[in-house]
């Protein structure tokens, strides 16, 4: 169908008009006909079945019944209150229909001894069944209407309901729209794809999503539309990746030389795991071509990403280029710096760190060494992005925990490539993004579908899995005894309290109360305790951390400040207080603070007895598995994609019908089909791809995918 009709402003649809049009725009973002067509129901009421009155159950469900009204009366109750009661019968029994409002109007419209179809929620009072404010339709009308057996329920808002735009009204608008458009929509997918995946045509899909004739047709319509939405998103992401590989040049690092080989053969602190070797190979291949590398490196806490990062930097150095590593916080930047200098201490390379607290005199030295090329590797925070920071020739930029950096910040790093081609354009550095937050595969494919993904999915040898248990506050004495036994063996303990901004004063009080009672149970001089929280001065925090790191204190009591980045191999027990107040990924990150040495480590989740069902699932998941990816999948199911990715990222996926958790199988199919299609016809030039190409071009201009799929 020509797209012109679908671009008609919504107020021109019969029965809408300017006032309703304004409401639909404001409340639901429906501006034109095509917005309404792609306004999908969020559930359906099954009206394929008619119940007999003697089949009704006491279960609050919505049912429909065919029968007649044989009697209507007004009943008074309470002070000057009335209700209208009608007796409704079929051949098996009777039920009462009740109205509390609109008596006169309803009474006048009801007909006695005529067949009606009623629909509503059944409740029981004594031995009598009631249905309050039922939907009613004359049986003769019911047989004629376009309203299907499966009745759609559309998303709505309070304002719409108050202004009389009910579900029924939206349903009527939809019927009108289908009458006007004659249900003729342009097919957007090529025929071979419809046949291969047994997808129903576009027309049938849109009709059956709004007016499903049966459960089966509804399922087929949903599958077709979900596939289409995910398929076009994947086409966009994969094209972006391919364009980058063809158009954006990168430095070809063809040499694997002195620095890399010396480190690999003589100074590796431990044998690399197979996962690390595989990831290194992927990085080497990427950096060896003329295209810019854009790779996401995922690895659980403690899986050895730092050593992979160093080896990638050594390849850059062997080819005469500098590298930088940017981390979101000073604690993390310092940890990377300490880790890398320790690993590279036998090599003759120059590594420096630049953060907000670097002294002016040191900055000057760093800036000069960067520009003349004598500084090989620079670690830092946002400070790396300052205009003063100029590289001699930046060949590799590594970004840690990228979801904390905005797009503009990343592109600033790009422009620091420094080296230019003959024609004056800058060649950007290779980019490696690292994250210790495992991202479920479905999310990674959707949000980072334009990056190549590497995963380190095994821990270095000699690490024992952390044992996790859940204990109620009533077991505290046993837990304290366990801690004393561990300290007697020379181990150290973390005790972490939640910190939730809204109730900061309450959290602070919990922490201080906890600290006092721990001090009573673990008295000086036998025990000594460190404390770290958000209200302390940074210098005091660092001093306390340092005392704990040096083994001068046995117990570290802290808020979640501790979550990222502190590496203390001797700490073997992590106790998380009020564990039910933490999210899954946070619990997993906190647990990753222990288990860094060769000893058996433990994580104890302390909670009160009152737990919601979600909290129970979180705690059980933590006790059952140490696998960050499994945990991330459960987290995604519990919280949905928006919450996990944070605000900047969740807007990327304004999905209208597909759901990343429930539809991950469809997503995999969509991604594979998009890859196959682009391999065969990268520029979409084949005749069978012309409709698809039109949609695709429109799609790259706009944000919301459904506006132009019709």
């Amino acid at each position: 169908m020509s797209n012109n009709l679908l671009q008609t402003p919504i107020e021109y649809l019969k029965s809408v008009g300017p006032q309703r049009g304004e409401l639909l725009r404001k409340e639901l973002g429906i501006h034109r006909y095509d917005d309404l067509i792609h306004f999908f129901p969020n559930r359906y009421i099954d009206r394929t079945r008619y119940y007999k009155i003697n089949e009704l159950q006491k279960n609050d469900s919505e049912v429909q019944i065919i029968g007649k009204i044989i009697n209507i009366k007004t009943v008074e109750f309470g002070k000057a209150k009335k209700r209208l009661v009608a007796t409704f019968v079929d051949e098996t029994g009777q039920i009462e229909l009740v109205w509390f409002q609109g008596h006169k109007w309803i009474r006048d419209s009801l007909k006695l001894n005529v067949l009606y179809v009623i629909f509503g929620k059944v409740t029981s009072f004594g031995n009598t069944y009631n249905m309050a404010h039922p939907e009613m339709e004359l049986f003769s009308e019911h047989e004629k209407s376009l309203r299907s057996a499966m009745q759609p329920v559309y998303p709505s808002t309070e304002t719409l309901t108050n202004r009389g735009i009910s579900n029924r009204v939206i349903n009527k608008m939809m019927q009108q729209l289908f009458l006007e458009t004659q249900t003729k929509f342009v097919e957007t997918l090529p025929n071979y794809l419809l046949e291969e995946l047994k997808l129903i045509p576009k027309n049938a899909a849109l009709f059956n999503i709004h007016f499903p004739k049966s459960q089966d047709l509804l399922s087929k319509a949903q599958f077709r539309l979900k596939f289409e939405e995910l398929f076009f998103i994947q086409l966009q992401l994969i094209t972006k990746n391919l364009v980058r590989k063809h158009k954006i040049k990168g430095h070809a690092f063809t040499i694997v030389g002195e620095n890399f080989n010396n480190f690999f053969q003589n100074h590796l602190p431990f044998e690399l795991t197979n996962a690390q070797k595989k990831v290194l190979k992927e990085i080497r291949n990427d950096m060896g071509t003329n295209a810019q590398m854009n790779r996401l490196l995922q690895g659980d806490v403690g899986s050895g990403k730092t050593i992979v990062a160093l080896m990638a930097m050594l390849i850059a150095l062997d080819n005469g280029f500098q590298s930088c590593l940017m981390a979101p916080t000073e604690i993390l930047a310092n940890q990377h710096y300490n880790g890398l200098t320790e690993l590279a201490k036998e090599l003759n390379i120059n590594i420096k760190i630049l953060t907000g607290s670097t002294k002016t005199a040191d900055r000057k030295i760093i800036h000069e060494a960067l520009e003349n090329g004598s500084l090989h590797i620079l670690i830092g925070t946002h400070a790396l992005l300052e205009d003063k920071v100029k590289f001699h020739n930046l060949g590799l930029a590594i970004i840690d925990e990228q979801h904390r950096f905005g797009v503009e910040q990343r592109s600033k790093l790009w422009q620091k490539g420094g080296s230019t081609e003959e024609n004056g354009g800058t060649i950007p550095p290779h980019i490696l993004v690292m994250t210790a937050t495992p991202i479920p595969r479905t999310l990674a494919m959707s949000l980072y579908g334009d990056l190549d993904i590497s995963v380190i999915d095994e821990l270095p040898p000699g690490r024992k899995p952390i044992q996790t248990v859940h204990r109620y506050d009533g077991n505290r004495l046993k837990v304290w005894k366990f801690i004393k036994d561990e300290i007697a063996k020379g181990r150290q303990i973390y005790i972490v309290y939640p910190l939730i901004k809204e109730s900061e004063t309450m959290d602070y009080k919990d922490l201080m109360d906890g600290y006092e009672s721990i001090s009573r149970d673990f008295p000086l001089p036998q025990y000594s305790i460190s404390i770290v929280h958000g209200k302390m001065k940074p210098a005091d925090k660092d001093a306390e951390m340092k005392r704990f790191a040096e083994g001068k204190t046995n117990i570290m009591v802290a808020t979640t400040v501790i979550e990222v980045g502190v590496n203390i191999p001797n700490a073997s027990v992590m106790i998380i207080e009020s564990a039910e107040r933490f999210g899954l990924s946070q619990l997993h990150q906190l647990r990753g603070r222990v288990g860094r040495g060769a000893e058996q480590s433990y994580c104890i989740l302390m909670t009160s007895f009152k737990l919601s069902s979600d909290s129970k699932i979180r705690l059980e998941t933590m006790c059952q598995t140490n696998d960050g990816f499994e945990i991330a999948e459960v987290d995604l199911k519990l919280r949905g994609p928006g919450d996990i990715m944070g605000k900047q990222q969740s807007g990327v996926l304004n999905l209208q019908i597909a759901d990343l958790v429930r539809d991950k199988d469809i997503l995999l199919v969509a991604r594979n089909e998009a890859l196959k299609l682009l391999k065969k016809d990268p520029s979409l030039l084949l005749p069978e791809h012309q409709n698809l190409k039109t949609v695709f071009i429109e799609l790259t201009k706009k944000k919301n995918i459904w506006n132009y799929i019709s």
Side-chain angles (χ1 to χ4, degrees):
M1 191 189 89
S2 77
N3 262 348
N4 300 348
L5 183 55
L6 289 177
Q7 299 310 313
T8 311
I10 196 67
E11 55 267 31
Y12 292 107
L13 185 69
K14 192 176 165 193
S15 86
V16 177
Q19 280 175 321
R20 277 183 168 177
E22 190 49 36
L23 271 175
L24 290 173
R25 264 196 288 276
K26 240 180 29 214
E27 295 294 309
L28 300 171
I30 294 174
H31 298 266
R32 293 184 301 276
Y33 281 18
D34 65 352
D35 294 323
L36 184 60
I37 289 253
H38 294 106
F39 179 59
F40 299 125
N42 52 6
R43 64 190 178 91
Y44 297 84
I45 296 163
D46 186 352
R47 297 190 64 165
T48 46
R49 181 154 180 215
Y50 298 94
Y51 285 80
K52 298 284 180 214
I53 291 174
N54 67 356
E55 295 173 326
L56 298 179
Q57 306 270 335
K58 295 184 179 180
N59 66 2
D60 255 12
S61 65
E62 294 180 301
V63 297
Q64 67 182 351
I65 310 165
I66 301 171
K68 298 174 179 176
I69 293 174
I70 54 165
N71 172 22
I72 306 170
K73 59 184 180 198
T74 305
V75 180
E76 293 194 6
F77 67 103
K79 272 193 185 157
K81 286 185 180 167
K82 292 179 181 174
R83 62 171 181 250
L84 190 64
V85 180
T87 309
F88 186 82
V89 300
D90 68 2
E91 64 276 24
T92 69
Q94 69 176 47
I95 175 174
E96 286 192 340
L97 310 182
V98 187
W99 292 267
F100 298 97
Q101 282 125 15
H103 300 177
K104 174 150 176 27
W105 170 73
I106 290 165
R107 190 166 196 153
D108 292 345
S109 67
L110 294 177
K111 300 185 166 89
L112 291 178
N113 296 313
V114 177
L115 275 184
Y116 275 103
V117 177
I118 62 166
F119 177 79
K121 214 176 229 179
V122 173
T123 50
S124 62
F125 188 73
N127 289 330
T128 327
Y129 282 108
N130 299 298
M131 190 184 282
H133 291 267
E135 276 187 36
M136 301 191 65
E137 196 172 20
L138 288 168
F139 185 68
S140 52
E141 290 289 312
H142 181 78
E143 283 190 303
K144 287 194 302 219
S145 76
L146 170 65
R147 229 194 26 231
S148 58
M150 303 283 307
Q151 209 183 328
V153 179
Y154 292 92
S156 187
T157 66
E158 206 176 327
T159 310
L160 287 179
T161 315
N162 293 341
R163 301 283 292 274
I165 300 184
S166 63
N167 195 56
R168 207 163 168 180
V169 169
I170 289 182
N171 204 302
K172 282 258 184 331
M173 288 177 189
M174 213 56 92
Q175 290 185 37
Q176 182 58 35
L177 184 60
F178 273 84
L179 289 172
E180 283 191 29
T181 54
Q182 298 288 302
T183 325
K184 288 192 175 71
F185 303 104
V186 173
E187 183 52 74
T188 45
L189 298 174
N191 281 338
Y192 68 83
L193 205 53
L194 299 182
E195 282 163 26
E196 184 196 331
L197 299 173
K198 299 188 172 52
L199 298 173
I200 63 172
K202 181 78 177 194
N203 287 332
L206 284 173
F207 186 80
N208 280 289
I209 202 84
H210 295 292
F211 307 106
K213 288 280 174 248
S214 67
Q215 290 278 7
D216 179 50
L217 276 166
L218 174 63
S219 307
K220 288 185 168 136
Q222 286 177 328
F223 184 86
R224 152 76 208 230
L225 294 168
K226 286 174 176 185
F227 171 81
E228 184 168 356
E229 182 168 45
L230 295 167
F231 175 74
F232 276 104
I233 288 174
Q234 290 304 322
L235 267 188
Q236 271 186 300
L237 289 167
I238 296 162
T239 306
K240 208 164 140 188
N241 193 352
L242 292 174
V243 164
R244 188 152 55 198
K245 283 184 176 158
H246 291 303
K247 294 217 177 129
I248 299 181
K249 286 204 166 65
H251 304 287
F253 293 166
T254 48
I255 305 162
V256 176
E258 173 63 22
N259 289 299
F260 183 93
N261 290 326
N262 177 17
F263 179 74
F264 186 71
Q265 284 150 17
N266 309 320
H267 304 298
L268 268 184
F270 47 76
E271 171 79 26
L272 293 182
T273 62
N274 288 330
Q276 284 172 314
K277 287 179 187 160
K278 182 186 84 200
V279 166
L280 254 174
K281 200 171 169 185
E282 291 167 345
I283 291 171
R284 270 174 62 172
N285 289 345
D286 277 3
M287 298 201 308
T289 66
N290 272 321
Q292 184 206 22
M293 167 170 84
N294 265 286
R295 194 164 275 285
L296 172 70
L297 173 57
Q298 289 186 267
D300 223 334
V301 182
S303 61
K305 292 184 297 293
T306 314
I307 203 160
V308 170
L310 173 66
M311 291 170 86
M313 292 175 179
L314 293 177
I315 294 176
L317 187 57
D318 281 336
N319 287 272
F321 283 88
Q322 297 167 303
S323 302
C324 70
L325 191 162
M326 184 162 83
T329 62
E330 283 202 19
I331 289 185
L332 257 180
N334 275 309
Q335 191 178 312
H336 279 305
Y337 175 69
N338 296 335
L340 289 169
T341 36
E342 176 58 30
L343 284 169
K345 62 177 188 281
E346 302 294 330
L347 306 174
N348 184 19
I349 61 175
N350 187 0
I351 305 177
K352 288 276 185 280
I353 182 168
L354 179 67
T355 66
S357 43
T358 306
K359 296 189 173 67
T360 316
D362 295 340
R363 274 171 193 262
K364 216 172 153 207
I365 297 166
I366 290 173
H367 290 160
E368 275 173 23
L370 255 197
E371 286 195 53
N372 67 30
S374 60
L375 177 52
H376 305 128
I377 294 174
L378 180 60
I379 317 287
T381 53
H382 292 81
L384 296 186
L385 301 173
E386 292 166 6
D387 293 337
K388 288 195 202 78
V389 179
K390 294 190 174 67
F391 289 81
H392 175 61
N393 56 357
L394 179 63
L396 171 65
I398 299 179
I399 301 170
D400 195 25
E401 295 303 343
Q402 88 119 32
H403 56 279
R404 305 205 189 174
F405 294 108
V407 181
E408 302 80 45
Q409 293 168 314
R410 294 203 302 277
S411 65
K412 262 195 160 169
L413 260 187
W414 257 52
Q415 291 147 20
K416 292 184 181 284
S419 64
T420 46
E421 303 175 71
E422 296 78 62
N423 64 7
T426 313
I427 297 183
H430 293 294
I431 303 275
L432 182 66
V433 173
M434 300 200 299
T435 176
T437 314
I439 304 164
R441 190 158 169 233
T442 46
L443 256 193
M445 282 184 340
S446 306
L447 287 164
Y448 300 117
D450 56 332
L451 295 180
D452 298 305
I453 298 177
S454 289
V455 178
I456 303 182
D457 50 10
E458 56 184 313
L459 289 178
R463 291 273 177 96
K464 294 188 178 124
I466 301 164
Q467 283 184 18
T468 306
V469 292
H470 170 210
R471 294 287 180 263
Y472 292 106
D473 290 335
N475 305 62
R476 194 169 292 279
L477 287 173
K478 279 187 180 162
V479 172
W480 272 190
K481 171 162 188 337
F482 174 70
I483 296 182
K484 286 179 174 163
D485 294 347
E486 283 293 297
I487 293 175
K489 292 184 205 162
R491 314 266 183 273
Q492 288 168 286
I493 318 291
Y494 287 110
I495 302 178
V496 175
Y497 286 81
L499 174 69
I500 295 167
K501 280 281 181 283
E502 295 86 89
S503 57
E504 209 161 317
T505 43
M506 196 172 93
D507 287 328
Y508 181 66
K509 185 178 173 302
D510 285 352
L511 176 83
M512 295 324 276
D513 288 353
Y515 176 66
E516 277 169 27
S517 76
I518 293 163
S519 306
R520 280 197 298 276
D521 293 334
F522 295 87
L524 285 160
Q526 194 181 350
Y527 301 99
S528 91
I529 304 171
S530 281
I531 183 167
V532 171
H533 56 79
K535 297 192 174 184
M536 291 166 76
K537 293 194 179 92
D540 296 345
K541 257 190 238 178
D542 290 345
E544 284 292 287
M545 292 265 203
K546 199 166 167 223
R547 283 177 60 208
F548 188 64
E550 288 167 355
K552 292 179 180 157
T553 56
N554 319 96
I555 299 174
M556 159 74 80
V557 177
T559 53
T560 41
V561 192
I562 211 92
E563 185 181 341
V564 181
V566 200
N567 191 4
I568 295 163
N570 190 43
S572 67
V573 183
M574 165 64 73
I575 292 177
I576 303 175
E577 294 284 352
S578 308
E580 72 274 20
R581 289 172 63 191
F582 290 90
L584 250 181
S585 59
Q586 224 182 356
L587 289 171
H588 181 62
Q589 289 277 345
L590 284 168
R591 171 167 67 184
R593 300 291 116 230
V594 296
R596 293 179 161 238
E599 309 306 330
Q600 177 61 58
S601 291
Y602 305 89
C603 174
I604 302 172
L605 307 170
M606 302 293 296
T607 71
S608 62
F609 280 102
K610 269 194 192 154
L611 294 175
S612 69
S613 62
D614 275 8
S615 300
K616 283 184 183 140
I617 294 172
R618 287 201 296 268
L619 298 166
E620 278 165 20
T621 307
M622 284 294 292
C623 295
Q624 278 161 10
T625 179
N626 279 304
D627 180 337
F629 287 92
E630 242 177 85
I631 286 169
E633 289 286 351
V634 176
D635 203 19
L636 181 60
K637 283 192 183 115
L638 290 175
R639 294 198 293 157
D643 285 350
I644 289 187
M645 295 321 301
K647 283 290 167 277
Q648 320 94 299
Q649 301 277 9
S650 58
V652 182
L653 288 183
N654 206 345
L655 295 175
Q656 294 219 276
I657 189 165
D659 175 302
L660 286 185
V661 183
R662 289 197 297 270
D663 302 322
K664 64 173 184 221
D665 301 348
I666 306 179
L667 174 64
L668 289 170
V669 176
R671 185 163 177 89
N672 288 336
E673 291 299 339
L675 280 164
K676 272 191 336 207
L677 187 142
L678 288 169
K679 210 170 182 175
K680 181 167 118 184
D681 182 14
S683 307
L684 303 179
L685 298 174
L686 293 174
E688 64 263 34
H689 293 151
Q690 289 322 291
N691 284 354
L692 186 141
K693 186 177 184 173
T694 311
V695 174
F696 186 73
I697 290 168
E698 281 298 311
L699 197 54
T700 40
K701 293 182 200 161
K702 300 181 191 168
K703 281 285 181 282
N704 176 2
I705 169 168
W706 284 108
N707 288 354
Y708 15 85
I709 287 192
S710 44

